[in-house]
Amino acid sequence: MKKINFLFLLLTNLIFAQQENIIFAEIINGGKTILVKQTISFKNTTPNHILEIDLSDWNYALATKKSALANKFSDEFNRSFHLSKTKERANTEIESVIDNQKMSLNYYRDIVQPDIIHLKLNKPLETNEIGNYTFNYTLTLPSAQFTRFGWYNKDKIILKNCFLNMCAFREGKFNKQSEYNLDDLNTNLTNYSVFLSTKEPYFVTSDLEKKLLSPNQIHLSGNNKSNFIIILEAQNSYETFENNNQTIQTNLKPNQIHPYIKNFFIKRVSSYIESKIRSNEKIKLVISEEDYLREPFYGLNELPNFISPFSPDFIFELKFLKTYLNTYLASHLRIDFRKDHWILEGIQHYFIKKYLDEFYPNMKAFGKLADFKLLKGYKIINMPFTEQFLYNYLLMARKNLDQPIGMEKDQLIKFNEKIAGKFKAGLLLNYTASLMGEKKFEAKIKDFITINKEQEEVSREDFYNLFSTTNNSNFWLKNLVEKDEITDLKIQYSKRNNDQIEIAITSSLEFPIPYTYGLYKNKELVEIVQDTIIKNKKINFDKWKYDYIELNPANLLPEWDNRNNFKKFNHNIFGNKPLKFTFFKDIENPKYNQIFFVPTAEFNLYDGILVGMKFNNRSIIDQPIGFNIVPNYSTKTNTLAGSANLTYSKNYKNSNLYVSRYGVGLTRLHYLPDAFYTKIAPSISFHFRNPDLRKNEGQSVLLRQVYVYQERSAFIKKQNENYSVFNVRYNYFKSELINQFSYSSDIQVANSFGKVSGSIGFRKLFENNKYITLRAFGGFFMYNDNKSSNFFSFGVDRPSDYLFDYPLLGRSESSGIYSQQYVNAEGGFKSKFNQRFANQYIFTINTSLNIWNWIEIYGDIGTYKSTGLQPKYKFDSGIHLNLVQDYFELFFPVYSSNGFELNDKNYGEKIRFVVTLSPKILTSLFTRRWF
């Protein structure tokens, strides 16, 4: 590599930055490999000497499956990295490290954080001393499929966060942060000088200043930066736009947009944001399609153009607005983006909302769909575009999966990291602006940008100080950012007193919070009042002056439930809100009591096709009280059937117990062609979870009393009596991509029997994409007075399901296709034996191992016993086609205690199948990636 005298560069540049980073990078092997000579210069500005320096090697995070990033992929059920080949992963091979005196230095990788390097110094770095450390190493770039940075092919490479960087050094210690695919490298301001050489000519795009040294060598430089990006392409995809003091390079893909329109939108967005923030600083920005795809505006362009409800112009403008704001703010802020990400996200989404409200005041959440008369009654279709910000946050809050936005970003679950947390941050800043006035608020944002210019390190306390007029320790914004509490204002009651009306308002928060309420007459807002509440408040006014009151009328404060914010002073027989029937689903509308209806179709052998209508109050956003009423018509018996349930859920914050549910369910269906069963099941359940939501670890306890009433049937000689069973169930699970573990226990007590059972499940995914599944089940009767009947016995190959918990298509069948339906419960055998039930005890082990994709081999072994019979020892084995797990599966027995089953002339009757008609099972396979 080319040699250079670093002395002049180091002395001049270190005047302004604590660090200097000079990199010679030679790109070889089609861009997959980079030979690097890098000199890092660091000035010790602390009063103490330093014996060891910590560096980030984020490229190495994609070299090992033991890194924090690999664990994150596993937590989110992302298989791409775990199943990747060695050639797709990264590597950093360090050949040598020398100091100022040309002496070799030793280093070691952190065991817990392998993408952190600890460099041992030969002698202490004293106060105000500058240390120069030169690294010779080889980078193997990762495939860009993992993070969208790295190696795409020999014609496209994106370099970001791949070179060695010193960890941020603040308050006398290094801040060691691992790579989590958050693009939030934390380092002190650094002067970068990069000499890049290539075997083949590339077009180079970067936010660093460029100087071409030769056709295959370029010098890139930038001062006081925390990171940089370099894109190398065989064919240039970037356009450059100049607007005032901004140089904007972008390759955002516009669909069917005229270049003039594209240029207009880019200038309008950049001019608008610059006018609001006024940094007056010459900047160079790269706004890439890859950055947008890393942080898209979810839901905006998921549909193809020909059915998209938004115009290509609007889609491009919003894509550019979001990505531009993120890049612009990241280049101006000197916060710790891991800890204080919400500041950038809040400012970003504040200005997104402002921009859309100003230039697209009539844009609806679903664009052109709002023009269809058939959809006029749907709030989700016709609400303002920016109102979806609130509901994206509420989606998590109502599930009790929201997390404080002030939490470090690597601790957030995916939906909160990507969507809900960003919108909540924007909502809080919008609410702050509404309280103090937009002009004053935006002036404070400008002041914050100025602080970031003047200080190398800026924290959330600097941000709070701009908006708080009191002690920050009880500042409402700080509390809403950092505390995990439900925010809910509620009209508790209204009371008439002569000509006065008294309204009692309560707050769920323990600290004071500003709020607003609106007073209406003849459906028009007459007065809006701003006040502060601590726990509760009473207000009085003339009863003839207003018709109703509404708390938080503009929905700017992100509340947990705004349905209790509305109070009419003269209401009708339906109470405070009128009744509204809506087909299928809608977002909740706080001014109505909503009932949704949707046609249903179900099937079982005895009822045939069940057609009916489901009535419920469950909107797209969860709510505490929910009901389902599903009357069905049985086409086979020409009778009415169906089900109903009512539930109440109570969420808990700052506790391992996060929700308790109280409910009652009723089901009435045929269990034989001429006989109904009716099941009534009141229940209470308690759900616990690990406070670290990324662990996906939880427990639950269910207590229920199941009452079953069965009509008499001509198809059975001995009729089972109606019965009642008290049931207690405990479940534990810990689930991620590589390892899944669960166990459960079950106790059932009835007049005629009592039984205890338990199961343990384990699933392991190996690096060669093979996985093994193990399950063990055991159970025994404490007492059993039904020894002449197997109705309450343990099932060897299928449970009798006397509690009517499983969706069996032909629950009373002992032969024929419907008897071949398989349920992974109790004994779990796939082969059928002569003795299919056990009324004393049963112990089994079920295993499966995939051999290719969705093809598995399975094996079961176990023992069971019934009264008066010898213990049975059985086994079976065969092929399992796991086409869609828990949704559609097939089992083909091969060899078992019955012998070689393939020789059986009635082999078709031995094939077992899993089929589930519930869409919840299928959707859970996707939601586990996000929640």
Side-chain angles (χ1 to χ4, degrees), residues 52-307:
E52 193 170 275
I53 288 176
D54 296 332
L55 301 103
S56 298
D57 180 12
W58 279 13
N59 185 68
Y60 195 79
L62 287 164
T64 171
K65 296 180 181 180
K66 305 297 182 183
S67 67
L69 180 56
N71 291 333
K72 180 183 181 182
F73 286 147
S74 180
D75 289 343
E76 295 173 356
F77 292 87
N78 184 340
R79 289 173 171 242
S80 62
F81 183 70
H82 186 74
L83 302 180
S84 62
K85 300 174 182 176
T86 303
K87 65 180 182 180
E88 295 175 313
R89 298 196 291 272
N91 199 14
T92 305
E93 297 179 48
I94 300 176
E95 285 88 35
S96 65
V97 188
I98 59 174
D99 60 15
N100 301 32
Q101 288 73 41
K102 309 298 182 185
M103 299 295 292
S104 294
L105 298 176
N106 293 323
Y107 71 92
Y108 63 98
R109 291 190 180 276
D110 195 293
I111 296 175
V112 178
Q113 297 175 278
D115 54 353
I116 300 296
I117 292 174
H118 303 283
L119 184 65
K120 293 184 174 182
L121 305 184
N122 290 328
K123 73 179 191 67
L125 186 67
E126 303 294 343
T127 302
N128 292 323
E129 185 181 0
I130 297 173
N132 301 321
Y133 309 102
T134 300
F135 298 78
N136 285 284
Y137 60 97
T138 301
L139 283 180
T140 301
L141 295 178
S143 167
Q145 66 175 306
F146 306 126
T147 66
R148 299 191 186 275
F149 299 145
W151 190 81
Y152 285 80
N153 50 55
K154 64 182 180 63
D155 295 328
K156 183 177 179 181
I157 307 154
I158 298 181
L159 305 179
K160 191 166 190 185
N161 305 331
C162 61
F163 298 105
L164 298 180
N165 279 283
M166 287 190 63
C167 299
F169 187 70
R170 297 187 177 110
E171 298 179 356
K173 61 181 180 179
F174 290 96
N175 187 3
K176 302 182 287 293
Q177 293 182 346
S178 286
E179 160 74 306
Y180 278 92
N181 194 24
L182 302 173
D183 192 17
D184 58 354
L185 182 67
N186 186 21
T187 186
N188 295 99
L189 291 179
T190 303
N191 297 330
Y192 289 101
S193 184
V194 182
F195 294 87
L196 197 65
S197 62
T198 63
K199 298 291 185 183
E200 302 294 332
Y202 283 101
F203 290 95
V204 178
T205 304
S206 179
D207 52 358
L208 298 174
E209 295 299 324
K210 296 186 295 183
K211 182 180 180 182
L212 190 64
L213 302 178
S214 70
N216 292 343
Q217 189 175 43
I218 190 169
H219 177 227
L220 303 106
S221 61
N223 291 338
N224 292 320
K225 298 178 72 68
S226 57
N227 61 18
F228 60 86
I229 185 170
I230 300 173
I231 301 107
L232 298 98
E233 299 174 299
Q235 297 294 325
N236 186 29
S237 66
Y238 283 81
E239 297 178 80
T240 300
F241 298 85
E242 300 285 346
N243 189 27
N244 299 324
N245 59 350
Q246 301 181 54
T247 300
I248 300 169
Q249 304 161 96
T250 182
N251 71 336
L252 276 179
K253 296 177 181 176
N255 294 319
Q256 306 169 0
I257 295 180
H258 192 278
Y260 173 81
I261 301 297
K262 178 181 178 181
N263 183 63
F264 171 77
F265 286 145
I266 289 173
K267 287 194 173 181
R268 182 163 81 172
V269 168
S270 57
S271 296
Y272 179 84
I273 300 304
E274 182 65 19
S275 70
K276 294 294 183 180
I277 295 180
R278 293 194 184 280
S279 70
N280 296 320
E281 186 177 305
K282 188 174 182 180
I283 56 172
K284 190 177 183 182
L285 302 173
V286 175
I287 314 298
S288 70
E289 179 76 13
E290 291 75 21
D291 278 339
Y292 173 75
L293 293 174
R294 284 175 54 84
E295 297 288 343
F297 202 106
Y298 287 95
L300 177 67
N301 59 342
E302 306 300 325
L303 298 174
N305 288 334
F306 70 93
I307 57 173

Side-chain angles (χ1 to χ4, degrees), residues 490-712:
K490 180 180 180 180
I491 297 177
Q492 193 70 30
Y493 66 83
S494 64
K495 185 167 61 176
R496 299 191 179 200
N497 184 13
N498 297 326
D499 292 333
Q500 292 283 304
I501 288 183
E502 180 182 274
I503 300 291
I505 302 169
T506 61
S507 167
S508 62
L509 302 171
E510 299 291 336
F511 52 85
I513 183 172
Y515 75 105
T516 59
Y517 61 88
L519 298 164
Y520 295 80
K521 184 71 174 179
N522 299 324
K523 297 184 179 181
E524 291 187 4
L525 180 63
V526 176
E527 185 178 356
I528 190 162
V529 180
Q530 181 177 317
D531 202 351
T532 299
I533 184 172
I534 308 175
K535 290 301 292 178
N536 53 71
K537 188 103 177 179
K538 291 182 180 179
I539 54 176
N540 294 274
F541 43 82
D542 294 336
K543 68 179 182 179
W544 306 113
K545 198 172 180 180
Y546 309 107
D547 293 333
Y548 63 89
I549 182 174
E550 184 177 16
L551 306 179
N552 190 22
N555 272 337
L556 292 175
L557 175 66
E559 282 190 85
W560 189 83
D561 187 3
N562 58 7
R563 292 167 302 159
N564 51 28
N565 289 4
F566 183 83
K567 188 71 176 178
K568 278 186 177 180
F569 305 139
N570 296 293
H571 49 73
N572 57 32
I573 60 172
F574 294 108
N576 200 33
K577 305 171 187 178
L579 202 60
K580 183 179 181 181
F581 285 86
T582 302
F583 177 71
F584 191 59
K585 284 282 186 189
D586 196 3
I587 208 77
E588 67 181 30
N589 191 328
K591 295 185 179 180
Y592 292 93
N593 287 312
Q594 295 169 291
I595 294 182
F596 305 104
F597 62 96
V598 61
T600 63
E602 301 176 37
F603 174 80
N604 68 61
L605 175 62
Y606 314 113
D607 288 296
I609 298 175
L610 290 152
V611 293
M613 191 73 70
K614 176 162 65 174
F615 299 90
N616 66 79
N617 70 330
R618 292 183 168 92
S619 71
I620 295 171
I621 306 296
D622 291 352
Q623 50 187 293
I625 299 176
F627 69 84
N628 269 315
I629 301 174
V630 190
N632 285 323
Y633 174 73
S634 169
T635 57
K636 197 169 185 178
T637 63
N638 297 319
T639 57
L640 289 178
S643 62
N645 64 68
L646 174 68
T647 60
Y648 168 71
S649 299
K650 180 174 176 58
N651 291 342
Y652 302 90
K653 288 290 188 181
N654 303 307
S655 169
N656 287 339
L657 172 65
Y658 77 96
V659 63
S660 57
R661 291 196 177 98
Y662 311 84
V664 60
L666 180 147
T667 305
R668 177 175 167 81
L669 292 170
H670 281 87
Y671 74 99
L672 281 168
D674 63 342
F676 276 106
Y677 77 87
T678 301
K679 171 185 173 181
I680 302 174
S683 64
I684 302 173
S685 62
F686 303 94
H687 301 261
F688 305 82
R689 67 185 178 196
N690 191 316
D692 182 357
L693 300 189
R694 292 202 61 87
K695 297 294 186 186
N696 199 22
E697 179 182 22
Q699 306 170 74
S700 65
V701 177
L702 169 68
L703 297 92
R704 62 175 179 164
Q705 186 77 37
V706 181
Y707 301 93
V708 177
Y709 305 91
Q710 298 180 105
E711 292 182 351
R712 292 190 174 275

Side-chain angles (χ1 to χ4, degrees), residues 325-372:
L325 268 167
N326 188 73
T327 307
Y328 183 93
L329 291 169
S331 69
H332 282 80
L333 300 180
R334 296 177 179 175
I335 57 177
D336 183 336
F337 292 105
R338 182 70 54 88
K339 294 180 179 179
D340 295 330
H341 55 93
W342 62 270
I343 297 177
L344 184 151
E345 294 161 355
I347 297 173
Q348 177 192 31
H349 284 77
Y350 168 80
F351 282 120
I352 289 175
K353 186 178 187 306
K354 278 283 294 177
Y355 184 91
L356 292 172
D357 288 344
E358 182 169 334
F359 293 105
Y360 296 93
N362 299 316
M363 178 61 71
K364 303 302 182 184
F366 276 74
K368 292 180 289 187
L369 290 182
D371 298 334
F372 289 89

Side-chain angles (χ1 to χ4, degrees), residues 723-756:
Y723 53 90
S724 169
V725 179
F726 176 69
N727 182 208
V728 180
R729 289 182 179 175
Y730 169 80
N731 287 285
Y732 168 87
F733 70 89
K734 185 174 183 180
S735 180
E736 41 96 10
L737 176 68
I738 300 171
N739 296 303
Q740 298 178 38
F741 177 71
S742 64
Y743 59 85
S744 64
S745 59
D746 186 278
I747 300 174
Q748 297 178 22
V749 177
N751 287 335
S752 60
F753 75 91
K755 62 199 294 192
V756 177

